[in-house]
Amino acid sequence: MVENMKGKIRVFCRIRPMNRTEIARGDSTIVSRLDEYSITVETARGQREFQFDRIFDTQCSQEEVFQDTNRLIQSAIDGFNVCIFAYGQTGSGKTYTMVGDKHLKNPGIIPRTFNKIFDIIHKNEAKFDIKVSAYMLELYNERLQDLFVSPAEAFSKRIEMKKDKKGLVFAQGAETKQAASPSELFALFEQGCANRHIAATKMNVESSRSHLIIGIMVENRNLTNGTVCYGKLSLVDLAGSERAAKTGAKDGQLKEANSINKSLSALGDVISALSSDQPHVPYRNNKLTQAMQDSLGGNAKTLMFVNISPSDCNVEETLTSLIYATRVKAITNNAQRNMDSKEIAQLKEIIVKLRSGQPVEEEDVQ
Ligand code: ADP
Ligand code: MG
């Protein structure tokens, strides 16, 4: 019954359209899509070509982008550990891809995923009992904040990323909330975004300076044979990858930029260790890599978006991002279904009951 699947991390590249400033300034477009899988970048030292699993051009709609992501959501419900994350410099379209535009006229992957999860649940209601819960975290200046509680409360809490016996990462100390419908899940997400916004305003920072990490857990009980599988979907909108020097950051901003650089370079170190098959992978060096440990090189189906700008003024950052993404493409994950037999699932329930002092009934032990 256990389906193990070795597979490369998939990398999709998305080119955002020129913005008004760039058009007004007369910037030129240096990135072009050759075909579904390749793009070229004009650099001072000539043309460079890159290959990815899919290229989304400036005109690609949110719906088209989501179509290729769909399958992964079914996998999470089937008991796989799935991660979708967006990487790129500030302003390259990460949040647009993951969340959507400001008023969600063009919703991105996260809200579409919420709907899709419950669509699948409804279609399978007769055969499966599926429970959904979520946590939502922000990583800012090396600190993990729980976005499901008020910023004041979040500040006094200590959150640590831990691994359970199956190797799945969980956020110890963070609230995990259940959701019974897409609107409930969306309301939780909005509450989290509002808390993030309040915290950011208080500290006078922008959301693009922190990493957003959402974990959605799916517990799926097969009503026919009693097996239970546990899937997890991690959705990550990373902080901007640009270097501090370029943004002219000072003092507080510099600390912030350094901590972003630290976490993204720790992520880079993990990626290079994995892509060159080194025996030691330095996951523990940073909270970001701890949080993504089960998504990179581990037991996961992982999809990375590398978001890039089309403009000549961003050529360096665009090249850096594309080179980073090319390394990610070389990583092989070993995806496994997390499943318990009926007996094990029952034992777990009994243990939970015993621990909380609830009586164990005869029907618990069948
Ligand atoms: P990031 O999160 O990488 O800093 P954003 O997602 O906030 O960047 O994008 C910067 C701006 O560009 C936003 O105003 C966003 O709406 C717009 N934008 C980004 N990608 C696209 C796209 N594919 N189509 C239309 N507008 C986009
Ligand atoms: Mg952003």
Side-chain angles (χ1 to χ4, degrees):
M1 268 311 280
V2 185
E3 301 165 41
N4 290 354
M5 291 206 268
K6 268 197 185 290
K8 295 271 184 211
I9 291 186
R10 288 196 305 158
V11 180
F12 289 173
C13 173
R14 189 177 197 185
I15 316 162
R16 73 151 163 78
M18 283 260 191
N19 63 33
R20 266 194 233 130
T21 321
E22 290 163 344
I23 294 169
R25 205 165 46 201
D27 286 7
S28 52
T29 298
I30 52 150
V31 181
S32 50
R33 186 178 105 139
L34 278 184
D35 55 45
E36 229 178 302
Y37 310 106
S38 18
I39 52 164
T40 57
V41 184
E42 308 294 336
T43 78
R45 274 164 275 123
Q47 198 179 63
R48 293 211 35 189
E49 194 177 317
F50 293 90
Q51 253 98 34
F52 295 106
D53 295 289
R54 193 66 205 270
I55 312 290
F56 293 106
D57 211 347
T58 54
Q59 296 314 312
C60 274
S61 67
Q62 298 281 66
E63 202 154 351
E64 279 172 79
V65 171
F66 188 65
Q67 257 168 22
D68 280 290
T69 322
N70 252 328
R71 228 170 28 89
L72 284 174
I73 297 161
Q74 179 69 55
S75 289
I77 292 178
D78 291 341
F80 285 95
N81 178 20
V82 172
C83 175
I84 304 170
F85 74 102
Y87 180 94
Q89 73 179 117
T90 297
S92 60
K94 296 181 297 297
T95 302
Y96 186 84
T97 298
M98 294 306 291
V99 182
D101 53 353
K102 256 206 179 115
H103 302 289
L104 292 194
K105 277 196 204 113
N106 290 300
I109 287 172
I110 292 174
R112 285 172 197 268
T113 295
F114 294 168
N115 288 328
K116 183 74 190 179
I117 289 174
F118 287 96
D119 279 354
I120 298 176
I121 291 177
H122 283 306
K123 281 204 190 99
N124 295 287
E125 246 161 8
K127 286 193 184 146
F128 299 92
D129 177 26
I130 305 175
K131 289 199 183 77
V132 176
S133 59
Y135 62 77
M136 184 164 167
L137 308 173
E138 172 173 62
L139 179 60
Y140 178 69
N141 276 355
E142 326 265 315
R143 238 195 89 84
L144 281 164
Q145 302 266 123
D146 185 352
L147 292 175
F148 281 166
V149 299
S150 72
E153 194 182 330
F155 207 74
S156 62
K157 278 174 64 166
R158 189 181 164 78
I159 292 165
E160 283 192 68
M161 302 314 297
K162 299 265 175 184
K163 273 199 309 180
D164 67 13
K165 285 212 186 78
K166 292 205 164 81
L168 281 184
V169 165
F170 67 98
Q172 193 178 64
E175 292 281 326
T176 298
K177 304 236 182 187
Q178 296 237 347
S181 66
S183 54
E184 270 184 41
L185 196 49
F186 191 72
L188 286 172
F189 171 68
E190 281 202 306
Q191 183 201 335
C193 291
N195 283 334
R196 188 182 190 201
H197 185 72
I198 297 167
T201 312
K202 273 193 185 151
M203 286 186 280
N204 203 14
V205 294
E206 242 199 287
S207 63
S208 69
R209 313 312 298 148
S210 66
H211 308 289
L212 175 70
I213 302 163
I214 302 176
I216 302 175
M217 282 68 66
V218 183
E219 187 186 313
N220 181 352
R221 181 183 303 270
N222 182 323
L223 297 172
T224 319
N225 64 16
T227 56
V228 180
C229 46
Y230 306 89
K232 183 178 161 200
L233 185 58
S234 302
L235 302 164
V236 181
D237 184 3
L238 292 173
S241 61
E242 61 280 358
R243 262 163 298 198
K246 188 169 179 182
T247 51
K250 289 190 196 75
D251 307 330
Q253 277 176 327
L254 199 59
K255 176 180 175 213
E256 181 186 276
N258 278 339
S259 105
I260 295 172
N261 287 350
K262 239 197 230 166
S263 55
L264 291 177
S265 68
L267 187 59
D269 293 341
V270 163
I271 288 164
S272 43
L274 286 169
S275 55
S276 57
D277 275 333
Q278 279 168 38
H280 175 69
V281 183
Y283 291 110
R284 299 219 55 82
N285 286 359
N286 191 275
K287 295 207 164 90
L288 179 66
T289 47
Q290 286 171 17
M292 293 180 75
Q293 176 159 6
D294 57 355
S295 307
L296 293 163
N299 160 27
K301 294 188 180 184
T302 303
L303 172 62
M304 170 189 188
F305 278 91
V306 55
N307 289 95
I308 55 170
S309 147
S311 158
D312 56 349
C313 74
N314 293 126
V315 62
E316 264 179 57
E317 288 301 342
T318 298
L319 279 177
T320 313
S321 294
L322 293 173
I323 292 165
Y324 197 100
T326 302
R327 278 198 287 157
V328 174
K329 225 177 51 173
I331 300 175
T332 305
N333 280 358
N334 188 7
Q336 296 173 7
R337 246 177 124 177
N338 305 304
M339 186 156 62
D340 285 340
S341 65
K342 179 182 172 186
E343 293 73 21
I344 298 285
Q346 280 180 346
L347 272 175
K348 279 189 177 171
E349 265 176 35
I350 292 170
I351 290 169
V352 168
K353 283 192 169 179
L354 287 173
R355 281 206 176 128
S356 61
Q358 290 175 56
V360 176
E361 313 287 343
E362 201 166 324
E363 70 245 29
D364 289 332
V365 199
Q366 281 168 10

